[in-house]
Amino acid sequence: MSFRTTPSVDYVEDVSPGSGALPPRAWYASSDARSLSLNGSWRFRLSATAGAEDDSFAEEGYDAGNWAEVTVPGHWVLQGDGAFGSPIYTNHLYPFPVDPPYVPTENPTGDHLRVFDLPSDWPSDGGAVLRFDGVESCARVWLNGTELGEFKGSRLAHEFAVGELLKPGSNVLAVRVHQWSAGSYLEDQDQWWLPGIFRDVTLLHRPSGGAGDFFVHASYDHTTGEGTLRVDSDVDGRVSVPDLDIDVATGEPVTVAVRPWTAETPKLYDGVLVTDGERVPLRIGFRTVVLEDGLIKVNGKAVLFKGVNRHEWHPEHGRALDLETMREDVLLMKRHNLNAVRTSHYPPHPAFLDLCDEYGLWVIDECDLETHGFTEQDWRDNPVDDDRWTPALLDRAARMVERDKNHPSIVFWSLGNEAGTGRGLTAMAEWIHGRDPERLVHYEGDWNCRDTDVYSRMYAFHDEVEKIGQQLDGGTHRRRELPFIQCEYAHAMGNGPGGLADYQELFEKYERLQGAFVWEWIDHGVRHAELGYAYGGDFGEELHDGNFVCDGLVFPDRTPSPGLIEYKKVIEPVRIEGDGPNGIVHVTNKQDFADLSALAFEWSCQVDGETVESGSLAVPALAPGESAEVKLPEPPVDGRGGERQWTVRALLADDTSWAAKGHVVAWGQFAAGARPLPSFPATDRPVPDGGRITLGPAGFDARTGALLTIGGVEVGATPRLDVWRAPTDNDDGAEWQTDTRYGTLWRTLGLHRMRHRLVSVEAGDDALTVRTRVAPAAREVGLDTVYRWTSDGERLRLTVSVTPEGDWTVPLPRLGVRFGLAEADRVEWFGGGPGEAYPDTGKASMVGRWQSTVDGLQTPYVRPQENGARADVRWVELGGLRIEGDPEFWFTARRWTTEQLDAARHRTDLTAGDTVWVNLDRGQHGIGSQSCGPGPLPQYFLKAEPAEFSFVFSTTR
C-alpha cells in the first residue's frame, strides 16, 4: 500500500511542454470580439517548495483574505520589499544543480488568485479562451475549481478553452507558478531569474464563426513593383484592403501594385479579415526575403544590419514592460540610426513587434531557448541533443512562429542561443523551414551551417571578420556560400564599446559581411534605494556574475550611454566627408532602399569652436549607394586668425513618426585650413624667495618644486605624472582572455600604486626643472620624468618629458599629469564634446565650444570606472585657470580621486571631496570590448615610449 502526503508536482520536472493548452495561433491585439484584461492586483501566497500547499486555494469560496497582494504583470521577487525573495543573476551558470530534468526541492512557488466579475453584457454565444502571454517558469491553472492544465515556455503565449467554465458574475482564476522546472534548463539566458506572471493575462470571447489561426502572406516583386497577398485562415472569410481595392476570399491570392515594406520605408496597409463572427484588423507589409547569390536580400537588395540585441528590461518592473516603455525603446533605436533588432533570447512581448512593423526595424525573432550552463560539462546531457526534450523544443518553435508570423519586420527565425548543437535543433529548423519558407533561419551555434541560412558568429575579432569577408575562413562548402553576420559583437559593458568604426569599415567593405548586432540594448540594473542600481551579487546570490548584467547601450533608466551616441555616428545612413580647404563636401547615401529626399542639409563655419556663419546646402536626393560632391560657400572673413572648420549636418526635413523636423541624422566635420600654432616666448626666470620660488605668475615650493599657486588660484596638489586609470569593464576583460586582461596586468605591475622619487629641483636662468623617477614598488621598471616650467610673465608653461626605463611589456593606461584645485564647478572647453571620447570611441566627439559642470562631466556607469574624458581639447577653463595644450589633449575633472573611483562598486560609494582632481592627458589606452569581445586594436595601444608634451596655464580672474 502506498499513499501521497503532498500534492503531485510531477509535472514540474516533466520534460514535456505541458498539457491542456490550445494549439498556438497568430496573436493579435484586438478585434471586434470582446476581451477582458485580468491584469491588476492579485492575491498572492509564497511557499518555499513546489508541494508545500495543497490545491484547495483553487476551489470556489476559498478565503484568501489574509494573503498578500502582487501586481500582474509582475515578478514577485521585485515586489513586497524583499518579503517574497530576491532576484538572481547568472550569465550562464544554472543557479541549481545540473541534474536534468530535476530541480531543487527548495523551489519558490507563488499561488496567485484573481476573482473577477464577468461583465453583465458578456456575449452568451460561442466560447472563450484564457490567454497568458508570459509566465516564468512553470504554471498550473484552474478556473472556478476546474484544472485547465499546466505549461512551460516562459516567454511564450498559452491559451486555454474556458467557455463552459465561465459563470455570470464572480469567477475565480487560480494560478500556481513555480520558479524552477524542467523548463528552466531551456531558459539559461544571461538575465535575472525572475519568477511570476510577468505579461498580460486576458480573457477573450470567441464568437461562433470567429477567426481562428491565420497566416498573412504578402510578397513583393521588385522587378514589377507588385505585391501578392494571400491570407490563409482556419476559418473561411474575406480579406479587404481598401487602399488597394482588394476584397478577396481567404486563401485566394491577389496581385496589385504596392509600395513595399522595408525598415527604411515601413509602409503598412490597413486591412481586415472578416469571418462570420469576427472582424480582425490587419497591418500588411509587402516584402520578400530570400537567400540569393550568397546574400540576404529583401525586395531584391542586399541589406546591411546595423543592429542591437534587446532583452526586455525595466529597472523597477523587470521584464514586465508596458507599451510606452516598448515604444520608447523603438524610438530611441530609430533616433540613433539602428535598423535591426535581435530579440535576445526569446520572443518579446508581441506589442514590441507591432512597433517594429510600424516604425521600421528588421527583426531576428529568437526562440525561448538557451542551455548555456551545459557548457560547464562539455555539453553532456544537453537537452537539445536528447530526443526526450524534442517535443518541448518543437513546441517552443511553433509557439514563436505561429504567434509572430504575421509581422513583416521579422526576416529571420532564430532557433535560440548558446545551446550547443543537436538533433532537437535540427528538428526545429526542419519544422520552421517547412512551416514558413518565406523567411530565413538563424542559429549562431551551428558553425557548419547544417540547419541555418546564414553563417552567424559572436565576438569574432576584427582580423577574423576580414578573413570571413574575403572568404578565407575555411569551413564547410555550404558555410562558405552563405552570408555572414555577427549576431553579437561590441560588448557594451561599462565604458565602451571601442572599435565600432573599425568593424563598420569591414562590414561596408566586403559584400559577404551583412552587419552585426551590438550586445546589448540596456543595462539590467535593478533600482535600489541604497545602491542606486543593483547588479549580480547585491541580493546575496549564492552564484552570480556581478555587473555582467549591465552591458547595454542605454542605462537602466534608458538614458543613452556614450556607447549609443558613438554607435549612432558610426552607422550613420549618410556619410559626410570633406576637403575643407577646397570647400568640397562628399556626400554618400549609405541606405539600402531610401533616397535622401527626406533630409535637409546645412553647413556652418566655426572659428575657435564658435559658429560665425551658417546656411543651407543643396544636396541631390541621392539614390542608395550614390555619392555626390557639393561645393561649400566661400568661408567667411574673420580677423581673429583662429582655427577654422566646417560642420555639415543632415537633418530630417519634416516631422516623422519617430522624430521631429530638424533631428540630426548624420554630420561631418573637417578643417577649413591649417590650425594656427601657439607661440610661447620664455622671458621670465625663476626667483628664489625664502622657501619659495617665483616664476612669472606662479609660486613653487623651493624644496620639492611643487606648484603652489598661479596668480590668485591655489593649487591643492601639484601636477605630477599619472599613468593610472580606474579600469573599465573592458580593461578588466573576460576571464577566459587571461593574457590580455590589461586591468589585471596593470595591477600586477603595480601601476595603481606608483611612487614618485624626487631627484632634483633646479632653478636655472630660464626655467625651473624638477627631475623625478616614477615607478611601482617591487618592480625595476620606471618612468624617468622631467617637469620643465617656464613663463612669459603672464602665463606658465609646463613641459613634461617621459623616458621609460626597463622592459615595459604592457601598454600604459594613460599618460599625463594630475593635479588638484580647491575650487571648481563650471567648466568650459574648446575641443571634442559634448560627451566623453577615447582613442577608439571618439567618432561622435564633435569639436566645438562646450560648457558643463564638474558633476556633469561624469558618465554614470552602473559600476564606477574610468569615464568622462574629453578628447582633442585645445584649451579648458575651470577653477579660475585656463589650460592650453600643445598638442591637443584629453582632460577629466572629478570630485574624487582615481583611487576612490577604482574602489567604488556603485555610484553611491562615491562621495565628493573638497578637491577637484584634474587630469590632463597626452594619451589614453584604447577601450575595446574585451569584457566579452576583443580588446583595443594595436593602433589604439598607449605604448610605454619616450614622450614630451606641454600645457600652458593662465588665470581667468
Side-chain angles (χ1 to χ4, degrees), residues 880-915:
L881 291 181
R882 178 184 176 97
I883 306 162
E884 299 172 78
D886 182 16
E888 297 91 347
F889 59 99
W890 279 270
F891 91 87
T892 59
R894 51 178 69 102
R895 300 186 188 277
W896 37 79
T897 66
T898 301
E899 291 73 22
Q900 291 169 326
L901 182 64
D902 188 14
R905 292 296 168 261
H906 295 87
R907 298 181 210 166
T908 50
D909 295 335
L910 294 168
T911 302
D914 296 331
T915 300

Side-chain angles (χ1 to χ4, degrees), residues 15 90-103 181-190 193 369-386 388-389 393 417-422 425 443:
V15 299
T90 61
N91 167 32
H92 78 278
L93 296 174
Y94 289 105
F96 48 79
V98 180
D99 184 23
Y102 304 110
V103 295
S181 69
S184 300
Y185 284 99
L186 305 179
E187 297 173 1
D188 188 22
Q189 294 151 325
D190 186 13
W193 298 86
L369 172 62
E370 182 169 335
T371 64
H372 198 176
F374 284 90
T375 190
E376 292 294 314
Q377 55 203 56
D378 198 25
W379 298 108
R380 187 174 59 258
D381 297 327
N382 186 7
V384 305
D385 200 26
D386 184 335
R388 294 175 300 168
W389 294 80
L393 303 182
N417 183 69
E418 292 177 318
T421 57
L425 290 167
Y443 178 66

Side-chain angles (χ1 to χ4, degrees), residues 854-875:
V854 169
D855 292 340
L857 294 173
Q858 315 310 308
T859 303
Y861 294 113
V862 174
R863 185 191 75 81
Q865 55 198 273
E866 166 62 34
N867 73 90
R870 269 52 179 186
D872 300 317
V873 176
R874 280 71 163 159
W875 56 257

Side-chain angles (χ1 to χ4, degrees), residues 461 725 728-746 809-811 925-938 941:
F461 288 17
R725 72 184 186 195
T728 68
D729 291 312
N730 289 305
D731 289 338
D732 284 337
E735 61 184 16
W736 56 87
Q737 300 180 21
T738 55
D739 58 335
T740 55
R741 296 174 65 190
Y742 289 108
T744 300
L745 295 174
W746 292 335
T809 59
V810 297
H925 188 61
I927 296 295
S929 64
Q930 200 175 359
S931 50
C932 196
L937 290 169
F941 278 37

Side-chain angles (χ1 to χ4, degrees), residues 103 412 513 572 601 633 854:
V103 295
F412 270 99
L513 309 179
E572 286 174 335
F601 290 78
V854 169

Side-chain angles (χ1 to χ4, degrees), residues 473-490:
D473 54 305
T476 63
H477 177 73
R478 170 170 168 75
R479 190 179 91 181
R480 294 196 305 272
E481 291 184 331
L482 293 178
F484 175 80
I485 64 170
Q486 287 233 70
C487 67
E488 294 180 21
Y489 88 123

Side-chain angles (χ1 to χ4, degrees), residues 275-521:
T275 66
D276 287 344
E278 189 174 12
R279 294 174 59 89
V280 180
L282 305 176
R283 304 189 79 191
I284 302 166
F286 290 87
R287 57 105 186 96
T288 296
V289 184
V290 297
L291 184 64
E292 183 179 82
D293 303 324
L295 298 172
I296 304 158
K297 292 185 178 181
V298 179
N299 302 338
K301 291 187 176 182
V303 297
L304 184 63
F305 297 116
K306 304 170 183 177
V308 69
N309 287 271
R310 175 186 177 269
H311 268 297
E312 295 180 301
W313 187 251
H314 187 283
E316 296 172 356
H317 308 303
R319 288 186 285 279
L321 268 60
D322 60 21
L323 179 61
E324 287 313 304
T325 299
M326 292 183 252
R327 189 186 308 276
E328 185 178 357
D329 280 347
V330 171
L331 292 177
L332 279 170
M333 291 176 188
K334 292 292 290 186
R335 290 168 185 166
H336 289 86
N337 294 332
L338 279 76
N339 71 359
V341 179
R342 177 178 174 228
T343 70
S344 53
H345 295 295
Y346 43 83
H349 192 293
F352 178 77
L353 298 174
D354 287 338
L355 295 168
C356 293
D357 295 340
E358 177 183 349
Y359 292 100
L361 289 167
W362 307 116
V363 174
I364 297 179
D365 197 2
E366 192 147 273
C367 193
D368 192 10
L369 172 62
E370 182 169 335
T371 64
H372 198 176
F374 284 90
T375 190
E376 292 294 314
Q377 55 203 56
D378 198 25
W379 298 108
R380 187 174 59 258
D381 297 327
N382 186 7
V384 305
D385 200 26
D386 184 335
D387 290 338
R388 294 175 300 168
W389 294 80
T390 299
L393 303 182
L394 289 172
D395 179 76
R396 289 172 183 248
R399 290 190 180 278
M400 171 183 67
V401 171
E402 302 296 4
R403 191 197 77 166
D404 297 342
K405 58 183 177 283
N406 294 325
H407 291 282
S409 56
I410 297 173
V411 293
F412 270 99
W413 301 115
S414 180
L415 304 181
N417 183 69
E418 292 177 318
T421 57
R423 291 163 287 175
L425 290 167
T426 298
M428 293 169 69
E430 290 175 348
W431 184 88
I432 292 174
H433 275 123
R435 175 59 174 145
D436 184 19
E438 298 169 353
R439 291 182 175 93
L440 305 178
V441 171
H442 167 272
Y443 178 66
E444 183 272 338
D446 182 15
W447 284 18
N448 289 327
C449 303
R450 176 181 65 181
D451 301 322
T452 65
D453 299 311
V454 62
Y455 178 28
S456 177
R457 291 280 301 282
M458 53 176 69
Y459 308 111
F461 288 17
H462 296 76
D463 55 352
E464 184 183 4
V465 170
E466 181 155 33
K467 289 180 181 178
I468 293 170
Q470 296 169 333
Q471 296 185 311
L472 299 176
D473 54 305
T476 63
H477 177 73
R478 170 170 168 75
R479 190 179 91 181
R480 294 196 305 272
E481 291 184 331
L482 293 178
F484 175 80
I485 64 170
Q486 287 233 70
C487 67
E488 294 180 21
Y489 88 123
H491 199 248
M493 185 176 177
N495 188 333
L500 283 169
D502 306 276
Y503 270 121
Q504 193 65 26
E505 183 179 345
L506 295 173
F507 300 151
E508 295 180 7
K509 182 177 181 180
Y510 298 104
E511 188 179 47
R512 186 189 184 194
L513 309 179
Q514 293 200 248
F517 297 75
V518 168
W519 185 268
E520 65 162 305
W521 176 241

